[in-house]
Amino acid sequence: EDKVVQSPLSLVVHEGDTVTLNCSYEVTNFRSLLWYKQEKKAPTFLFMLTSSGIEKKSGRLSSILDKKELFSILNITATQTGDSAVYLCAVEAIVLFYGGSQGNLIFGKGTKLSVKP
Amino acid sequence: ETGVTQTPRHLVMGMTNKKSLKCEQHLGHNAMYWYKQSAKKPLELMFVYNFKEQTENNSVPSRFSPECPNSSHLFLHLHTLQPEDSALYLCASSQDRQGNTEAFFGQGTRLTVV
C-alpha cells in the first residue's frame, strides 16, 4: 500500500533555530513530491520535487529529494514565529489503467511546527 | 486512513453529464474544503464551508456547485464541465476556520472530462 510518513509529528523550537522536517515514502510509480505549509487557511504550496539531489530554495526554506532512499527533507533556517504551521508532504503516484495513466496524491499527516519567541 | 472519505475515487464523465462528488468525515470537524489539483500544479482552494455556511468561493465557475447539508458531508455537483476541468479533486476538513489545527485530506476523486 502506498504511504507517506512524516516525522516528527510535532516540533517546538525557538526563534532563530534551524529545523529539518522529514518525509519518507513508499509508493508505486512515483512522479513527484510536494511540500505544503498549512496555517489557518488552505495549505500553501512550497516546493515540488521530481529529481534527486537538486535542492530547491525559497528564502529561508529549502528542500531536497533522495529517490534512492525514498525521502525528502524540508529545512527552515533562522526560524520565525510566522513559520509556525503544519507542513504537509505529499507524493504523487502514477496509477496505470488501460488506455492511460493518472496521478494520485498521497499525503502525509503533517508536521506541526511551533516557533516560540 | 485520515478519517475523510471521498467517493468515487475515479470518475469519467462527458461534457453534458451531471455528476456529484461526495465527501464524508466523522472527525467532529466543522470546516470542510474542496480543492482542485491539476497536473503539475499545486492545490487550488475552491470552496470552504464553516459550520455548514459557505465562507469562501475562490472565483470558481458556476458549473461547480457545492452543497453542505451538515457538518459531516460535503458534495460537489458537476454539470456541463470542460476537458480542462479534468483534475484531482480533494476534500479536506479541519476543526474550524479559527482554530489552529491541521486539515485532514481525503484521497481525492480523479475526474476525467471527455
Side-chain angles (χ1 to χ4, degrees):
Chain A
E1 183 182 20
D2 294 340
K3 63 179 180 180
V4 176
V5 179
Q6 291 186 245
S7 63
L9 292 181
S10 65
L11 187 59
V12 180
V13 300
H14 290 92
E15 276 191 316
D17 288 352
T18 293
V19 298
T20 298
L21 310 183
N22 303 291
C23 177
S24 63
Y25 62 91
E26 293 179 25
V27 300
T28 305
N29 299 322
F30 170 92
R31 178 151 71 182
S32 64
L33 185 145
L34 302 92
W35 283 99
Y36 290 87
K37 177 183 180 182
Q38 185 190 14
E39 296 170 278
K40 292 183 179 181
K41 293 188 175 181
T44 53
F45 173 73
L46 295 176
F47 300 107
M48 177 182 283
L49 304 161
T50 55
S51 301
S52 273
I54 299 175
E55 184 182 65
K56 293 213 171 180
K57 197 172 174 66
S58 176
R60 295 176 293 102
L61 277 66
S62 63
S63 183
I64 197 163
L65 173 67
D66 186 328
K67 291 170 72 174
K68 181 180 179 183
E69 299 298 329
L70 307 182
F71 79 90
S72 174
I73 59 172
L74 175 68
N75 279 321
I76 309 175
T77 59
T79 52
Q80 303 171 357
T81 55
D83 295 326
S84 296
V86 174
Y87 290 84
L88 291 168
C89 172
V91 173
E92 187 176 27
I94 300 170
V95 176
L96 302 175
F97 59 92
Y98 179 76
S101 64
Q102 61 194 31
N104 287 338
L105 278 179
I106 301 110
F107 283 90
K109 293 184 178 181
T111 294
K112 185 171 184 177
L113 175 65
S114 298
V115 181
K116 303 296 184 184
Chain B
E1 179 61 41
T2 63
V4 180
T5 303
Q6 288 186 243
T7 55
R9 292 294 304 275
H10 308 280
L11 177 63
V12 180
M13 60 185 289
M15 289 189 284
T16 58
N17 292 158
K18 290 184 179 181
K19 297 286 184 183
S20 295
L21 309 185
K22 180 182 177 182
C23 178
E24 185 175 357
Q25 60 89 9
H26 296 288
L27 300 170
H29 290 169
N30 294 303
M32 297 188 77
Y33 313 76
W34 279 117
Y35 293 90
K36 174 185 178 182
Q37 184 174 32
S38 304
K40 303 297 184 184
K41 292 183 180 179
L43 286 169
E44 299 171 58
L45 181 63
M46 299 176 70
F47 301 103
V48 181
Y49 277 81
N50 195 38
F51 293 94
K52 301 187 296 180
E53 297 294 323
Q54 185 176 321
T55 58
E56 282 187 41
N57 175 344
N58 285 358
S59 303
V60 181
S62 60
R63 57 186 183 269
F64 295 89
S65 174
E67 179 191 2
C68 187
N70 55 62
S71 295
S72 299
H73 295 85
L74 183 66
F75 295 89
L76 187 62
H77 304 300
L78 316 170
H79 64 98
T80 60
L81 294 191
Q82 304 298 312
E84 60 264 29
D85 297 321
S86 298
L88 179 70
Y89 289 84
L90 285 163
C91 172
S93 72
S94 66
Q95 185 62 45
D96 55 43
R97 296 285 283 155
Q98 283 70 45
N100 188 23
T101 60
E102 62 269 29
F104 293 80
F105 288 86
Q107 294 303 306
T109 295
R110 173 60 65 174
L111 173 67
T112 303
V113 181
V114 297

